[in-house]
Amino acid sequence: MKIATLTAAVPLLVGVSVATAPTASATESCTGGYVCIYQGDIADGSGNHPLVYRFYEYGTYNVYNLVGEYTVKNCQTGGAGVTGYTGWNAGGGIAWSIPVNNCAGGLWVNLTSTYSVRLYS
């Protein structure tokens, strides 16, 4: 897997989209088939939470700089799930798991201990 740097603080992984900075517009929606990670609690009513990661393909992705609370939306179809791990490359223990589509609401969770994410069918 090649890693290209978008900015010094936010890496861009192949097969993953990363939002660069918060904007004044509304929180970007998570399209069907994707898993999206937003900064903060998107249900708080503020309407402006930056999209930090967007994953589409099954596989394991290392994530960086996730400190504090985020919302994870699993908008994958066909019963696909997503799991966050406490180590790189799906190592360590399970930090959190979303085994089914939760696109309507999302999971608000502290991702400080999350170092990788695995999408699976």
Side-chain angles (χ1 to χ4, degrees):
M1 177 180 298
K2 293 182 180 180
I3 299 177
T5 302
L6 182 60
T7 66
V10 181
L12 178 64
L13 304 177
V14 174
V16 178
S17 299
V18 179
T20 56
T23 63
S25 63
T27 300
E28 185 177 338
S29 65
C30 190
T31 308
Y34 286 85
V35 170
C36 301
I37 299 177
Y38 298 90
Q39 188 173 21
D41 179 10
I42 63 172
D44 71 1
S46 74
N48 186 20
H49 295 280
L51 177 63
V52 179
Y53 284 100
R54 174 186 287 147
F55 306 100
Y56 184 74
E57 297 178 3
Y58 296 140
T60 300
Y61 303 92
N62 291 328
V63 293
Y64 303 88
N65 301 323
L66 295 177
V67 177
E69 296 177 336
Y70 291 78
T71 300
V72 181
K73 284 185 129 185
N74 179 10
C75 296
Q76 298 179 96
T77 58
V82 58
T83 301
Y85 291 89
T86 60
W88 301 112
N89 302 314
I94 294 175
W96 51 270
S97 184
I98 307 171
V100 296
N101 182 304
N102 75 341
C103 199
L107 171 68
W108 183 33
V109 62
N110 187 321
L111 296 185
T112 301
S113 65
T114 301
Y115 289 90
S116 59
V117 174
R118 184 174 69 88
L119 280 64
Y120 60 90
S121 61

